[in-house]
Amino acid sequence: MNDLVRQHTTLSDSDLEWLHLLVSEWQLLSDLSFADLVLWVPTLDGTRYVSVAQMRPNTGPTSYQDDMVGHLVPRGRRPLLDAALDEGRIVREGDPEWREEVPVRVESIPVRREGRVLGVIARNTNLLTVRTPSRLELTYLQSASDLAQMIAAGTFPFPGEQVDMDSSPRAGDGLVRLDAEGVVQYASPNALSAYHRLGLAADLVGQHLGQITAELAPSRGPVDEALVTLASGYAPREFEVEGNSGVIQLRAIPLKPKGTRIGSLVLLRDVTELRRRERELITKDATIREIHHRVKNNLQTVAALLRLQARRMDSDRGREALEEAVRRVGSIAIVHETLSQNLDERVQFDEIADRVIAMVAEISPGKVTCRRNGRFGILDAEVATPLSMVLTEILQNALEHAFVQGERGTVEVTAVRSELRADPRLLITVQDDGRGLPEGFDPQRAGNLGLQIVRTLVEGELGGGFDMLPASGRGTKVVLDIPVRPQK
């Protein structure tokens, strides 16, 4: 719609925003009218109309099998459009049009904003299945007529009241028509069933909807006056009411076809099962986060025990081995701590990488500088846990073997993520400017425990590649190539 309006018309951005607001609401008008809607806007030179939006009803057969958006029609070919645009009033014709042997009643509704007519809605009703209307259908049609008059007067949609039509109740979910005092004139069967779910034993017709709703909603104090006002439909609002183990979602639409409120339309939907499932998911999420939190605490306890044991060791090699184990356990604990704060099993790995780098850098405080370049991005827990251990081992190996005791240097971790490929991958390099690899060193066969852990995790669990080679100039470069899921 943006492209069509800007290409063919003189409407301003604020006018276009009003049309967007109208289109976000007009599924309701289409359903209540049992009719197709097509929005026509006059072109730059005023000689034609361009159709910028279309809506088909959920409550009846369509009048248009084809997509009308983008069609251009010369002025004069459709007199009802001309009359509605020029005179600013709703125009109806007497005889129906015949389209492919289908009779169609055509009406034109001017779309007004701040006193100006921006375009015209063509309302087309398929008359092939017309029969004697029921009370429900009559209420639908009367409500549609009121909304159409409000559109023509520029009072609907309601400014600033953006509605998410995917989650908002629709006419078929349940409809209640109120008079100006908030008393129910008509309630559809679905609406009545929803209120029975809340605990209502009687009929809704003749009841004051606001008072009945407030009485059904659990309250320890006096009747909730705010709820009474909301459910009475005095203002356009969307809200939920819970009672008797049921939850209903309501949307109130004041009806002011001639400028004065004559009543309200209340759409409602039983969302009991939906909210129950949401609560179950929240409970499961909380349980998963609590499990990660407890795992993190247990790992920190193990690390503390290993640290205490290391302090009691007389052997330097034994103490160093236990301190390495402490860092390995700590890297896994960092991942679980991050997962305990998330709603899903994916983590932002940059924070984890920074904490791992800081933890390992404690081996050589103030002598070797460790830093990170690039972004790891969001990773699954199945990737984050082994990768944190791999990063710990590689950094630990660099700090212990690349530099002489007391020597200053730099270890740089670089992450490059490729999302454009069919198989997104994460390329990680860890490069130091230390003394380099020993003569004849083969990283694929080295017996060092840390490198064995790296090979096993990278090639086995992560399904990636690992290499260790001399850096250009001085030092050593470790390269990891790991497949990852696309970021969301």
Side-chain angles (χ1 to χ4, degrees):
M1 186 165 73
N2 287 354
D3 294 339
L4 288 170
V5 167
R6 287 169 180 153
Q7 179 183 353
H8 294 285
T9 78
T10 59
L11 297 181
S12 64
D13 288 343
S14 56
D15 292 334
L16 177 58
E17 193 61 35
W18 182 262
L19 295 184
H20 274 293
L21 189 60
L22 172 65
V23 169
S24 72
E25 293 271 25
W26 71 343
Q27 178 72 64
L28 175 61
L29 178 63
S30 178
D31 290 345
L32 293 176
S33 304
F34 309 97
D36 291 75
L37 305 179
V38 179
L39 178 57
W40 297 93
V41 180
T43 56
L44 287 164
D45 56 9
T47 61
R48 295 182 297 176
Y49 298 96
V50 57
S51 59
V52 297
Q54 179 179 359
M55 179 58 65
R56 293 183 174 90
N58 293 318
T59 52
T62 183
S63 303
Y64 286 111
Q65 297 298 330
D66 299 327
D67 188 1
M68 295 296 295
V69 175
H71 283 216
L72 290 165
V73 173
R75 186 177 170 88
R77 179 175 295 179
R78 301 194 177 183
L80 295 185
L81 295 181
D82 298 339
L85 183 69
D86 297 338
E87 301 173 21
R89 64 180 179 87
I90 299 175
V91 182
R92 300 180 175 89
E93 69 175 5
D95 297 327
E97 291 183 3
W98 286 84
R99 300 176 187 166
E100 298 179 356
E101 299 184 357
V102 175
V104 176
R105 182 173 63 241
V106 181
E107 303 167 86
S108 294
I109 305 166
V111 177
R112 192 183 303 273
R113 174 179 180 265
E114 296 179 352
R116 296 180 300 112
V117 177
L118 307 182
V120 179
I121 295 176
R123 181 163 57 176
N124 302 270
T125 307
N126 186 325
L127 300 178
L128 195 62
T129 58
V130 169
R131 53 185 172 78
T132 303
S134 65
R135 180 73 188 280
L136 171 67
E137 292 166 335
L138 289 173
T139 303
Y140 272 31
L141 293 171
Q142 179 59 54
S143 301
S145 176
D146 293 335
L147 288 177
Q149 291 182 57
M150 291 170 65
I151 292 172
T155 57
F156 186 83
F158 303 108
E161 195 69 23
Q162 189 74 33
V163 175
D164 183 0
M165 294 307 298
D166 291 334
S167 61
S168 187
R170 299 193 177 191
D173 296 326
L175 178 143
V176 177
R177 174 85 185 215
L178 308 179
D179 64 13
E181 303 301 322
V183 177
V184 177
Q185 294 180 308
Y186 175 78
S188 71
N190 284 346
L192 190 59
S193 297
Y195 266 83
H196 286 165
R197 186 78 176 263
L198 283 184
L200 179 68
D203 194 0
L204 268 176
V205 176
Q207 305 269 17
H208 190 282
L209 188 66
Q211 293 177 358
I212 284 292
T213 304
E215 290 171 4
L216 293 173
S219 176
R220 297 180 180 177
V223 173
D224 189 341
E225 294 297 334
L227 184 57
V228 172
T229 303
L230 287 173
S232 299
Y234 292 112
R237 292 288 186 273
E238 191 168 313
F239 57 99
E240 286 189 5
V241 175
E242 182 171 359
N244 193 38
S245 302
V247 184
I248 61 173
Q249 182 183 16
L250 299 97
R251 183 191 174 201
I253 303 172
L255 297 175
K256 304 176 182 179
K258 296 182 180 179
T260 303
R261 180 175 169 275
I262 63 168
S264 301
L265 198 62
V266 178
L267 306 178
L268 57 93
R269 178 173 58 172
D270 186 346
V271 292
T272 305
E273 289 304 310
L274 179 63
R275 296 295 175 259
R276 181 185 64 81
R277 291 176 184 175
E278 286 178 351
R279 289 180 184 128
E280 287 181 354
L281 288 175
I282 291 172
T283 302
K284 289 178 181 178
D285 287 337
T287 302
I288 291 171
R289 290 200 300 272
E290 178 61 22
I291 290 172
H292 284 302
H293 182 71
R294 293 189 181 188
V295 170
K296 182 263 297 183
N297 288 344
N298 290 338
L299 290 172
Q300 288 181 336
T301 301
V302 172
L305 292 173
L306 291 173
R307 195 176 292 111
L308 286 173
Q309 187 65 43
R311 291 173 184 169
R312 295 175 177 269
M313 293 289 292
D314 296 328
S315 168
D316 291 340
R317 292 188 61 185
R319 186 183 308 109
E320 290 174 0
L322 287 175
E323 288 174 350
E324 288 182 2
V326 167
R327 286 187 285 273
R328 288 167 183 149
V329 172
S331 66
I332 302 175
I334 290 173
V335 177
H336 282 282
E337 182 178 2
T338 305
L339 288 168
S340 70
Q341 301 168 2
N342 290 348
L343 292 176
D344 56 16
E345 290 292 292
R346 307 196 79 192
V347 296
Q348 178 58 258
F349 196 79
D350 295 322
E351 178 186 349
I352 294 174
D354 291 340
R355 294 181 63 181
V356 167
I357 290 170
M359 177 184 67
V360 178
E362 294 176 358
I363 301 173
S364 175
K367 297 171 186 175
V368 178
T369 302
C370 297
R371 59 172 177 260
R372 172 178 64 86
N373 293 321
R375 295 185 66 253
F376 288 85
I378 298 173
L379 299 176
D380 291 338
E382 292 84 357
V383 175
T385 301
L387 183 57
S388 67
M389 284 196 66
V390 168
L391 195 57
T392 300
E393 295 299 333
I394 294 173
L395 289 170
Q396 191 167 276
N397 188 69
L399 292 172
E400 287 183 354
H401 301 294
F403 304 97
V404 178
Q405 185 68 30
E407 182 182 6
R408 295 186 179 277
T410 302
V411 177
E412 192 170 275
V413 180
T414 304
V416 178
R417 188 157 181 161
S418 62
E419 297 285 355
L420 300 179
R421 298 170 51 173
D423 56 334
R425 304 187 77 83
L426 180 62
L427 184 65
I428 306 167
T429 59
V430 181
Q431 184 169 333
D432 64 68
D433 56 1
R435 53 187 170 182
L437 296 172
E439 188 72 26
F441 179 82
D442 183 359
Q444 301 301 328
R445 297 185 179 182
N448 179 290
L449 176 61
L451 290 180
Q452 288 182 5
I453 292 174
V454 170
R455 285 198 302 270
T456 301
L457 292 177
V458 172
E459 297 172 359
E461 287 199 32
L462 297 175
F466 159 71
D467 199 6
M468 196 174 194
L469 59 154
S472 58
R474 185 169 185 261
T476 304
K477 179 167 70 173
V478 178
V479 180
L480 305 175
D481 186 8
I482 300 169
V484 292
R485 273 177 60 189
Q487 297 189 80
K488 294 182 180 179

